[in-house]
Amino acid sequence: MSSQTTWRRAGDASMEEVEEAVFGDFVPVEAIEACEKEYKQKVSENAVTDDLKFAYAWHLVKSRYKNDIRKGIRLMDELVRKGRDQRDYYYFMSLGHYKLEDYELAESCIDRVLQMEPNNYQAKQLKECITKKLKRDTLLGAGVLGGAALVGGAVAVGAAALLGVGIAKLAKR
């Protein structure tokens, strides 16, 4: 998929195209390791800048591996607490939470971005993906609960029938 797809209006792209544009690129492990090496060196020198911390966190959030993504989110959260350039930090925290399938936290973070910048196209795309996943999860949850209620009702009816048969047998004696 070309990078031009990323910049089309959300209504022009299929959900699959949007998801591929937003989530399809992973940072190679070698790039993460190189950034980590530089980050750890600066930590040991007590010389970590916000820009370096962001770069390392960005690499981690763009990783294929959940532990990396979690670590990247934690670093982004530390940057958010400093209060500088929060829009980017919240965006990548949202992306990380989405990749971890924690859609409620992803939504909370992307809503913060959209409060700061309501017309942010990338944030709108990510919000659209999150909303779709939340709706899907809600429908799946309702289906599971409905199925459980149906099974529970059937068990209750079966138990009542067995109890009735038992009482009838006792009454015949």
Side-chain angles (χ1 to χ4, degrees):
M1 173 174 291
S2 74
S3 61
Q4 290 179 335
T5 305
T6 304
W7 301 110
R8 292 191 300 182
R9 289 192 347 255
D12 294 344
S14 72
M15 184 53 66
E16 292 78 24
E17 289 176 314
V18 171
E19 287 180 345
E20 175 64 25
V22 175
F23 313 111
D25 57 333
F26 294 100
V27 173
V29 172
E30 299 79 23
I32 295 170
E33 289 171 347
C35 194
E36 180 178 40
K37 182 179 178 183
E38 181 181 359
Y39 179 79
K40 286 183 174 181
Q41 179 182 344
K42 294 296 183 181
V43 166
S44 71
E45 297 169 2
N46 199 23
V48 175
T49 64
D50 287 348
D51 289 339
L52 178 58
K53 187 180 246 185
F54 174 75
Y56 181 43
W58 180 90
H59 279 79
L60 292 168
V61 167
K62 299 292 263 177
S63 170
R64 293 183 182 277
Y65 303 104
K66 290 185 178 200
N67 285 335
D68 286 349
I69 296 167
R70 285 184 193 97
K71 188 174 183 178
I73 291 170
R74 279 193 304 274
L75 291 172
M76 291 287 180
D77 188 54
E78 290 173 14
L79 290 166
V80 161
R81 293 174 193 281
K82 285 185 152 184
R84 196 182 134 234
D85 200 17
Q86 292 189 347
R87 180 199 66 225
D88 289 341
Y89 305 152
Y90 276 116
Y91 177 84
F92 286 104
M93 285 172 57
S94 180
L95 179 62
H97 287 301
Y98 182 93
K99 290 170 73 174
L100 295 174
E101 299 179 5
D102 190 347
Y103 303 122
E104 290 173 0
L105 281 174
E107 183 178 46
S108 174
C109 291
I110 206 64
D111 285 346
R112 296 288 301 266
V113 174
L114 290 168
Q115 285 173 355
M116 290 178 246
E117 202 174 293
N119 295 320
N120 183 308
Y121 178 71
Q122 285 182 304
K124 286 180 177 183
Q125 282 188 311
L126 183 52
K127 173 72 176 190
E128 183 179 337
C129 293
I130 293 165
T131 300
K132 184 173 182 173
K133 294 291 186 175
L134 283 169
K135 284 180 184 176
R136 184 205 65 189
D137 285 358
T138 300
L139 291 174
L140 287 175
V144 168
L145 286 176
L150 184 61
V151 170
V155 169
V157 168
L162 286 175
L163 183 60
V165 169
I167 291 172
K169 284 185 179 183
L170 283 175
K172 286 184 179 182
R173 287 186 184 175

